[in-house]
Amino acid sequence: MPKERVGTFRVLLTVQVKPGMEAGFEQVWRQGSAQVTAQPANLGHTLARSAHEESVYYVVSDWTDKDSFLAFESSPEHVAHREQLHPYRTGGSLATMHLVEVV
């Protein structure tokens, strides 16, 4: 990810993937990530796999501001991509935050 800065709007998505479907999830996620990074307000987008929990992934994306993220999140392109990922998921959670200190 690019150098982080105070005020950045960060989204942390925790995704629980159906066991045995990890490779497919990663492939579909990768295919849709270009839509995210093409957004002018997107500052970075990553996928990480948990080191402690089987079939758990973390998606982190940074945005210039909350409104830009919310506009993208409700866009038809993003909704369609989420629908493609749905068969791989068993659950998850979404957390949003503003960076207050960067060292």
Side-chain angles (χ1 to χ4, degrees), residues 13-103:
L13 175 64
T14 302
V15 183
Q16 297 164 336
V17 174
K18 294 175 184 174
M21 298 186 76
E22 294 87 356
F25 170 79
E26 291 177 19
Q27 180 180 358
V28 173
W29 183 89
R30 197 173 297 112
Q31 291 168 350
S33 66
Q35 293 175 4
V36 177
T37 57
Q39 301 302 308
N42 181 260
L43 303 173
H45 187 60
T46 61
L47 177 66
R49 191 172 186 174
S50 175
H52 302 288
E53 298 176 89
E54 290 292 321
S55 306
V56 173
Y57 287 84
Y58 303 100
V59 178
V60 177
S61 60
D62 286 348
W63 298 82
T64 57
D65 59 272
K66 181 180 178 179
D67 291 340
S68 295
F69 165 71
L70 293 175
F72 173 70
E73 183 182 39
S74 62
S75 70
E77 298 84 11
H78 186 60
V79 170
H81 180 62
R82 281 197 327 252
E83 288 173 359
Q84 290 177 325
L85 290 169
H86 184 72
Y88 298 92
R89 298 178 58 175
T90 61
S93 63
L94 179 72
T96 58
M97 61 209 78
H98 297 277
L99 297 185
V100 296
E101 193 73 37
V102 176
V103 181

